[in-house]
Amino acid sequence: MKALRVTSLSPDLSGVKLLDLPRPARGDGDVLVKVAAASLNYPDLLMTRGDYQFKPEVPFTLGLEMAGEVVEADAHSGFVPGDRVMGGAKTGAFAEYVSLPARSLRKVPEGLDLAQAAAMGAAYHTAYVALVELGGLEEGQSVLVHGASGGVGLAACDLARALGAKVIAATHREDKLDALRSIATPDAAILNTGRFREEVSDHTDGRLCDLVFDPVGGEVFDESTRCVTFGGKLLVVGFVAGRIPEIAVNIPLIKGFSVVGVRAGEYARRFPERGRRVAEAVDKLASDGRITPHIDRTLPLAQWREALTAMERGEIVGKIVLTP
């Protein structure tokens, strides 16, 4: 089978290669899946450099999540050949076949095709854990979403809007504002460069935001501390900007807000019942047509370099899906 392998760590993708490998043998308790679509996530790019917190031993097959059809499964797994499934692990999805524990998979919600299913998992799981589980999102609240044109940010906009929040979508790219307005349909779309607090204040009638969803870090985090209302929460999702910011604890004390770290995958691993509840809630919203992942482009696996380069340059709105 074809598989996208990281054979060595490098800053320029020189260690990434599309190779022919034996089809994986199904392990005890595993489900063998023929991959139809796999979506690209920012950690995939970081792992090619060794810059992600999870550092798999080289060589490894890239890819956090995929969707496809079951080829083989144990009778007690809950799956049978032909089932449409979605899921994944920290690696392995960018291949023609993958063998995964049954607990790592779930059936594709009605109404989603396999490309959409591949694009939904990690992004919407992260958004739901952040906004609902940890943020306590309530209808009518105001949510500022940074990195709104990325897969996770766009999922956060979609989810927050579906749950009745007022959404302010923020990006550092002026050339993406029109696309954001069209795709995310937020209440407002703003640039999060420089001092953006006053614009946030204008869009919330001076109240500021109950939740700030921040996968960016750096100066965006610094200014976001001025955008949270009293009793609100600043949700730390990642540091795409590169700089890990710091905060003097007197700021959340005086302003009465919380800084909350979000590790959605670890949340599900530590609290399996809550993780299942999150997955069920997201799947129900998708089945009801209330949320839909946006796919920027679908590319064959052979065009992996175009996909990773587009992500590195910030050229996408939503998710890139690769098809073996």
Side-chain angles (χ1 to χ4, degrees):
M1 69 170 188
K2 297 291 185 182
L4 190 63
R5 300 281 280 179
V6 176
T7 60
S8 64
L9 303 177
S10 66
D12 59 0
L13 303 178
S14 60
V16 183
K17 294 178 172 57
L18 187 62
L19 301 176
D20 284 305
L21 298 177
R23 194 174 88 169
R26 185 172 66 87
D28 185 36
D30 282 3
V31 176
L32 181 65
V33 179
K34 181 174 174 53
V35 177
S39 72
L40 185 62
N41 291 279
Y42 197 69
D44 294 317
L45 177 62
L46 294 180
M47 277 192 272
T48 69
R49 306 167 179 165
D51 289 343
Y52 192 53
Q53 58 230 25
F54 172 65
K55 302 181 188 302
E57 184 178 346
V58 176
F60 62 92
T61 299
L62 270 178
L64 292 172
E65 59 182 342
M66 57 86 229
E69 290 191 1
V70 172
V71 177
E72 298 174 7
D74 292 332
H76 55 78
S77 68
F79 300 104
V80 297
D83 279 346
R84 299 192 320 150
V85 294
M86 58 191 286
K90 293 179 180 179
T91 60
F94 294 155
E96 292 182 294
Y97 290 88
V98 63
S99 183
L100 292 167
R103 65 178 180 275
S104 299
L105 299 169
R106 63 188 195 273
K107 292 182 179 178
V108 173
E110 292 296 326
L112 290 185
D113 61 32
L114 290 174
Q116 291 172 324
M120 192 178 78
Y124 280 86
H125 183 93
T126 299
Y128 196 97
V129 169
L131 297 175
V132 180
E133 294 286 308
L134 301 178
L137 177 65
E138 297 178 3
E139 185 176 356
Q141 289 186 325
S142 293
V143 180
L144 173 61
V145 178
H146 293 298
S149 63
V152 174
L154 200 57
C157 291
D158 193 24
L159 179 64
R161 186 170 47 79
L163 297 178
K166 179 175 182 176
V167 177
I168 302 174
T171 176
H172 72 288
R173 296 274 298 262
E174 188 169 3
D175 60 342
K176 289 187 176 183
L177 283 174
D178 286 343
L180 259 185
R181 293 184 182 105
S182 173
I183 295 166
T185 61
D187 295 272
I190 67 170
L191 287 174
N192 56 7
T193 52
R195 295 293 189 176
F196 50 83
R197 179 198 180 277
E198 293 310 313
E199 194 168 2
V200 169
S201 180
D202 290 342
H203 286 300
T204 56
D205 296 325
R207 187 177 181 276
L208 302 179
C209 291
D210 300 281
L211 299 175
V212 175
F213 182 93
D214 181 19
V216 179
E219 293 180 359
V220 165
F221 175 92
D222 298 340
E223 181 68 4
S224 290
T225 64
R226 305 176 66 236
C227 298
V228 192
T229 194
F230 193 92
K233 295 178 181 179
L234 203 171
L235 304 164
V236 180
V237 183
F239 313 105
V240 174
R243 178 173 70 84
I244 298 177
E246 298 179 355
I247 184 171
V249 294
N250 66 311
I251 296 175
L253 170 65
I254 292 169
K255 294 199 65 181
F257 69 83
S258 304
V259 178
V260 182
V262 179
R263 290 187 64 195
E266 188 65 19
Y267 184 87
R269 284 186 286 273
R270 288 180 180 263
F271 310 112
E273 286 298 324
R274 298 182 197 174
R276 281 189 285 274
R277 181 178 68 203
V278 169
E280 290 168 0
V282 170
D283 288 354
K284 179 68 164 58
L285 287 165
S287 293
D288 291 345
R290 296 175 63 189
I291 58 174
T292 305
H294 177 75
I295 297 173
D296 181 274
R297 69 191 78 170
T298 300
L299 298 170
L301 187 57
Q303 291 178 229
W304 61 268
R305 185 177 293 276
E306 177 185 338
L308 285 163
T309 301
M311 171 166 279
E312 185 175 31
R313 293 175 178 171
E315 295 173 352
I316 61 178
V317 177
K319 298 295 287 286
I320 290 181
V321 170
L322 296 174
T323 55

